């Protein structure tokens, strides 16, 4: 099972005057902490609402300091259940974002695109004649490639000497 996990992070930002500035700095700061190890995590502005349902900006500013709500989205593959995906995402993101509180907002299952392609091939949707032709040409090509590789790549003992 594959899951897409969304984690909310409360990122502190200092010496800011506007909400837009705080949001830009928070996204940049978070990106620096996550990259290059977790460059596959998507960073988005968070959504905040009042108890009555009124929408608020993702940044709260007081005394030139801001607390910005960001949503970090990560795909987790080959997990047993949603709780397992949640733990993996929190651990991976939390290791890079020190002293930043995290909370899992949502976990959503998805199917891998490669699995869909494999399933459609298994359904027998392709004709048998085309498959046989492709197999014959790929075998001929791989044999020629193997011969060429032997000539191009030196033996291990030659490299060591």
């Amino acid at each position: 099972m594959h899951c897409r996990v969304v984690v909310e992070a409360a990122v502190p930002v200092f010496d800011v005057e506007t909400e837009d500035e705080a949001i830009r700095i928070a996204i940049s700061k978070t990106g620096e902490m996550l990259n290059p190890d977790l460059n596959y995590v998507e960073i988005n502005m968070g959504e905040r609402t009042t108890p009555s349902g009124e929408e608020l900006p993702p940044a709260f500013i007081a005394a030139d300091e801001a607390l910005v709500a960001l949503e970090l989205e990560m795909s987790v593959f080959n997990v047993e259940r949603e709780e397992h995906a949640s733990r993996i995402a929190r651990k991976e993101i939390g290791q890079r974002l020190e002293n930043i509180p995290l909370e899992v907002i949502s976990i959503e299952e998805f199917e891998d695109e490669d699995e869909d392609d494999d399933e459609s091939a298994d359904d027998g949707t392709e004709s048998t004649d085309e498959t046989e032709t492709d197999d014959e040409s790929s075998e001929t090509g791989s044999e020629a490639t193997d011969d060429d590789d032997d000539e191009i790549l030196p033996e291990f003992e030659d490299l060591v000497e």
Side-chain angles (χ1 to χ4, degrees), residues 50-100:
T50 63
S52 63
E54 184 180 336
E55 196 168 310
L56 297 171
F60 173 76
I61 299 178
D64 289 339
E65 295 185 9
L67 190 61
V68 181
L70 295 180
E71 292 180 359
L72 309 174
E73 186 174 329
M74 176 180 176
S75 296
V76 182
F77 300 95
N78 299 327
V79 293
E80 297 169 5
R81 54 187 186 278
E82 290 182 358
E83 182 182 315
H84 187 213
S86 168
R87 287 182 182 168
I88 291 172
R90 285 194 64 188
K91 180 181 183 282
E92 290 295 316
I93 294 172
Q95 283 180 341
R96 274 91 179 168
L97 301 180
E98 289 185 28
N99 298 325
I100 295 180

Side-chain angles (χ1 to χ4, degrees), residues 95-112:
Q95 283 180 341
R96 274 91 179 168
L97 301 180
E98 289 185 28
N99 298 325
I100 295 180
L102 301 174
E103 180 181 341
V104 176
I105 296 176
S106 67
I107 303 169
E108 178 181 311
E109 284 186 45
F110 70 93
E111 291 190 22
D112 195 15

Side-chain angles (χ1 to χ4, degrees), residues 16-81:
V16 293
E17 295 178 9
T18 65
E19 294 168 353
D20 289 337
E21 181 183 14
I23 294 167
R24 282 195 311 270
I25 292 171
I27 290 173
S28 175
K29 179 180 175 180
T30 304
E32 286 177 10
M33 287 189 271
L34 293 176
N35 281 325
D37 297 332
L38 295 180
N39 59 359
Y40 47 86
V41 174
E42 294 180 32
I43 304 170
N44 300 309
M45 293 187 309
E47 296 178 6
R48 295 179 32 226
T49 57
T50 63
S52 63
E54 184 180 336
E55 196 168 310
L56 297 171
F60 173 76
I61 299 178
D64 289 339
E65 295 185 9
L67 190 61
V68 181
L70 295 180
E71 292 180 359
L72 309 174
E73 186 174 329
M74 176 180 176
S75 296
V76 182
F77 300 95
N78 299 327
V79 293
E80 297 169 5
R81 54 187 186 278

Side-chain angles (χ1 to χ4, degrees), residues 119-140:
E119 289 173 9
S120 66
D122 292 341
D123 293 341
T125 54
E126 296 181 12
S127 69
T128 318
D129 297 335
E130 291 177 10
T131 307
E132 289 174 7
T133 307
D134 291 341
D135 289 343
E136 290 171 7
S137 63
S138 65
E139 287 174 9
T140 307

